[in-house]
Amino acid sequence: MKLPIFIADAFTAKAFRGNPAAVCLLENELDEDLHQKIAREMNLSETAFIRRLHSTDNFTQKNVNSTLTFVTLSGELKARKAENGIILDLPLYPTQPQDLREVEKLIKTAIGDTRVQDIRYSPDTRKLLVRLSDTYDRSFLENLKVSTQNLPQIESSGKVKGLILTLKGQPGGQTKVFDFYSRYFAPWVGVAEDPVTGSAHTVLSSYWSQQLGKKEMYAFQCSPRGGELEISLRSDGRVDIRGGAAIVVEGTLTA
């Protein structure tokens, strides 16, 4: 069996940056075991298997502003091609204040004595958002050593499935001004640190829009690979997240 496969770097215009993901095009369904074997072979945090649900579905849709709908295990994902990237149409998830006493050990284990300014929780996504002190700058977040190995043992109730560290943007000193920075960790699902995370920004967009009083924002995820996201909150309670994409591998998988 031969399957078309690609590796694309998302949320970047440059190869070897952003979030790498494998994309495998299918004509027919595969059994779950083969899905898992291919994903392990790709050894990336995301491997997507795309199959036409209707004969008229077009894998090679090239029209700008045309929308493709993907039916996933997490629900529908809509994406459209724009002149300067790809726009994901995503839900916007609110956060609620989180009592420090309930998560203090988790935070202490992850970032030690790093000063924390705010803690929020997203019940819809089970993500814990930790805002670092405004006295820190981008380089501090980029260089921060985060310990994630023991977090699943410390928080094993199922309440938390992802840890977001975020920091308010600071103008000056960078080639581009960003409204906020972040890093994302999900050892509960086997991801020590995700390079760039669209789902985390469904929470971050809600939080920082309230904090900054803005509907249009630029964000940077400070993983070693790094990724840029352009955020636009919509009046219908959803968010458009725009990013570039670079295809770095195109070939055939033999299984």
Side-chain angles (χ1 to χ4, degrees):
M1 178 169 46
K2 295 183 181 296
L3 304 171
I5 196 160
F6 306 82
I7 295 179
D9 292 342
F11 301 112
T12 179
K14 298 179 180 179
F16 315 123
R17 294 184 62 80
N19 191 46
V23 181
C24 188
L25 304 184
L26 306 178
E27 291 294 337
N28 301 296
E29 283 191 77
L30 301 179
D31 61 57
E32 181 60 24
D33 182 62
L34 188 52
H35 278 117
Q36 295 297 330
K37 287 179 178 177
I38 293 172
R40 284 195 294 269
E41 190 74 12
M42 293 301 99
N43 196 31
L44 298 171
S45 56
E46 288 90 17
T47 297
F49 298 89
I50 301 178
R51 179 173 59 88
R52 292 182 180 92
L53 294 182
H54 309 286
S55 59
T56 55
D57 291 340
N58 187 358
F59 282 144
T60 59
Q61 178 64 263
K62 295 181 179 180
N63 295 333
V64 174
N65 293 324
S66 59
T67 299
L68 293 177
T69 300
F70 300 92
V71 180
T72 77
L73 295 177
S74 301
E76 285 192 354
L77 170 64
K78 293 184 178 182
R80 65 183 186 272
K81 186 176 181 181
E83 291 183 356
N84 58 343
I86 295 173
I87 299 174
L88 300 180
D89 173 355
L90 296 171
L92 193 64
Y93 293 118
T95 61
Q96 59 190 36
Q98 171 63 51
D99 187 341
L100 172 62
R101 292 170 295 180
E102 296 179 7
V103 293
E104 187 171 11
K105 186 175 180 181
L106 185 155
I107 295 173
K108 185 82 169 178
T109 299
I111 59 174
D113 294 326
T114 303
R115 295 190 296 277
V116 171
Q117 185 151 329
D118 195 8
I119 306 171
R120 299 293 181 97
Y121 177 69
S122 164
D124 297 293
T125 65
R126 291 189 286 178
K127 289 176 171 50
L128 183 68
L129 183 153
V130 178
R131 176 180 174 180
L132 305 186
S133 169
D134 288 350
T135 60
Y136 296 127
D137 60 11
R138 169 177 166 174
S139 63
F140 178 88
L141 180 57
E142 288 176 328
N143 296 316
L144 180 63
K145 303 299 182 184
V146 181
S147 177
T148 62
Q149 183 176 358
N150 296 322
L151 297 188
Q153 288 73 45
I154 293 171
E155 168 46 57
S156 59
S157 67
K159 177 179 177 178
V160 176
K161 289 295 184 181
L163 172 65
I164 302 170
L165 300 182
T166 188
L167 183 67
K168 184 179 179 181
Q170 296 176 327
Q174 303 292 339
T175 56
K176 182 181 288 187
V177 175
F178 294 100
D179 293 287
F180 64 88
Y181 305 109
S182 68
R183 290 174 67 184
Y184 181 70
F185 309 86
W188 294 271
V189 294
V191 179
E193 179 171 7
D194 196 40
V196 192
T197 317
S199 64
H201 283 80
T202 64
V203 177
L204 285 160
S205 298
S206 175
Y207 175 78
W208 281 112
S209 176
Q210 291 181 341
Q211 295 295 309
L212 302 175
K214 302 176 71 172
K215 301 292 186 183
E216 309 286 332
M217 295 174 287
Y218 287 95
F220 187 82
Q221 191 155 331
C222 296
S223 67
R225 292 177 64 99
E228 299 183 11
L229 307 93
E230 184 178 345
I231 293 163
S232 179
L233 275 69
R234 300 184 347 210
S235 59
D236 62 357
R238 295 180 67 83
V239 60
D240 285 339
I241 299 180
R242 183 197 307 263
I247 297 176
V248 295
V249 174
E250 182 176 355
T252 303
L253 177 83
T254 302

